[in-house]
Coordinates of all heavy atoms in Angstrom, one line a residue:
A840 N 103.2 62.1 71.8 CA 103.1 60.7 72.4 C 101.7 60.3 72.7 O 101.3 59.2 72.5 CB 104.0 60.7 73.6
R841 N 101.0 61.3 73.2 CA 99.5 61.1 73.6 C 98.7 60.6 72.4 O 97.9 59.7 72.4 CB 99.0 62.3 74.2 CG 97.5 62.2 74.7 CD 97.0 63.5 75.2 NE 95.6 63.4 75.5 CZ 94.8 64.4 75.5 NH1 95.2 65.6 75.2 NH2 93.5 64.3 75.8
V842 N 99.0 61.3 71.2 CA 98.2 61.0 70.0 C 98.6 59.6 69.6 O 97.7 58.8 69.2 CB 98.5 62.0 68.9 CG1 97.8 61.6 67.6 CG2 98.1 63.4 69.3
Y843 N 99.9 59.3 69.6 CA 100.3 57.9 69.2 C 99.7 56.8 70.1 O 99.2 55.8 69.6 CB 101.8 57.8 69.2 CG 102.6 58.6 68.2 CD1 103.7 59.2 68.4 CD2 102.0 58.7 66.9 CE1 104.4 59.9 67.4 CE2 102.7 59.4 65.9 CZ 103.9 60.0 66.2 OH 104.5 60.7 65.2
S844 N 99.6 57.1 71.4 CA 99.0 56.2 72.3 C 97.5 56.0 72.0 O 97.0 54.9 72.0 CB 99.1 56.7 73.7 OG 98.5 55.9 74.7
L845 N 96.8 57.1 71.7 CA 95.4 57.0 71.3 C 95.1 56.2 70.0 O 94.1 55.6 69.8 CB 94.7 58.4 71.2 CG 94.6 59.1 72.6 CD1 94.2 60.6 72.3 CD2 93.6 58.4 73.5
K846 N 96.2 56.3 69.1 CA 96.1 55.5 67.9 C 96.6 54.1 68.1 O 96.8 53.4 67.1 CB 96.9 56.3 66.8 CG 96.3 57.6 66.5 CD 97.1 58.4 65.5 CE 97.1 57.8 64.1 NZ 97.8 58.7 63.1
D847 N 96.9 53.7 69.3 CA 97.4 52.4 69.7 C 98.8 52.1 69.1 O 99.1 51.0 68.8 CB 96.4 51.3 69.2 CG 96.5 50.0 70.1 OD1 96.9 50.1 71.2 OD2 96.2 48.9 69.5
E848 N 99.5 53.1 69.0 CA 100.9 53.0 68.6 C 101.8 53.3 69.8 O 102.5 54.4 69.9 CB 101.2 54.0 67.5 CG 100.4 53.8 66.2 CD 100.6 54.8 65.2 OE1 101.6 55.6 65.3 OE2 99.8 54.9 64.3
R849 N 101.8 52.4 70.8 CA 102.5 52.6 72.1 C 104.0 52.7 72.0 O 104.6 53.4 72.7 CB 102.0 51.5 73.1 CG 100.6 51.6 73.5 CD 100.2 50.4 74.4 NE 100.9 50.4 75.6 CZ 100.6 51.2 76.7 NH1 99.6 52.0 76.6 NH2 101.3 51.1 77.8
K850 N 104.5 51.9 71.1 CA 106.0 52.0 70.9 C 106.4 53.4 70.4 O 107.4 54.0 70.9 CB 106.4 51.0 69.8 CG 107.9 51.0 69.5 CD 108.8 50.6 70.7 CE 110.2 50.3 70.3 NZ 110.9 51.5 69.6
S851 N 105.6 53.9 69.5 CA 105.9 55.3 69.0 C 105.8 56.3 70.1 O 106.6 57.3 70.2 CB 105.0 55.7 67.8 OG 105.3 54.8 66.7
A852 N 104.7 56.1 70.9 CA 104.5 57.0 72.1 C 105.7 56.9 73.0 O 106.2 58.0 73.5 CB 103.2 56.6 72.8
Y853 N 106.1 55.7 73.3 CA 107.3 55.5 74.2 C 108.5 56.2 73.7 O 109.3 56.9 74.4 CB 107.5 54.0 74.4 CG 108.6 53.7 75.4 CD1 108.4 53.6 76.7 CD2 110.0 53.6 74.9 CE1 109.4 53.3 77.6 CE2 111.0 53.3 75.8 CZ 110.7 53.1 77.2 OH 111.7 52.8 78.0
D854 N 108.8 56.0 72.4 CA 109.9 56.7 71.7 C 109.9 58.2 71.8 O 110.9 58.9 72.0 CB 110.1 56.2 70.3 CG 110.4 54.7 70.2 OD1 110.9 54.1 71.2 OD2 110.2 54.1 69.1

Side-chain angles (χ1 to χ4, degrees):
R841 182 185 173 204
V842 177
Y843 290 145
S844 176
L845 291 171
K846 296 174 72 174
D847 205 25
E848 299 175 15
R849 291 176 62 82
K850 176 63 169 60
S851 297
Y853 183 88
D854 292 342

